[in-house]
Amino acid sequence: MAITRGQLISDTREFMDAVGSSRWSDSLITTVLSSVYDAEWSNILNAAPYYTFAQRVVGTNGSGQVAFSALNSGSGDAQEN
């Protein structure tokens, strides 16, 4: 889903129930949204040390789809999803 900055500001204003309000300028809303964006990325990156990644070589079926079972490996404590 793609959204423009203007749409995000408009949607935020609507969510705040402040559509007709002149109290919240676009620049203030943009500053708050930027802060939220930074905080969320920080949370994602703080979780990264707890996750490891592995590369899987998989094949596709006739429809070009990959089976979920091809992405899993191991069992028990060694389970990789």
Side-chain angles (χ1 to χ4, degrees), residues 2-80:
I3 188 168
T4 65
R5 181 176 291 171
Q7 289 171 319
L8 183 58
I9 291 169
S10 176
D11 290 351
T12 302
R13 193 172 270 121
E14 187 174 332
F15 181 77
M16 293 169 38
D17 201 21
V19 174
S21 174
S22 60
R23 179 178 179 191
W24 308 101
S25 68
D26 287 0
S27 62
L28 177 62
I29 292 174
T30 302
T31 301
V32 173
L33 289 174
S34 178
S35 176
V36 170
Y37 179 84
D38 290 344
E40 290 303 317
W41 267 111
S42 179
N43 287 336
I44 290 169
L45 295 175
N46 283 337
Y50 302 103
Y51 295 100
T52 57
F53 302 91
Q55 182 176 0
R56 301 275 184 255
V57 178
V58 296
T60 58
N61 64 14
S63 301
Q65 298 173 325
V66 174
F68 280 123
S69 59
L71 302 175
N72 299 329
S73 175
S75 62
D77 287 342
Q79 175 76 30
E80 297 177 355

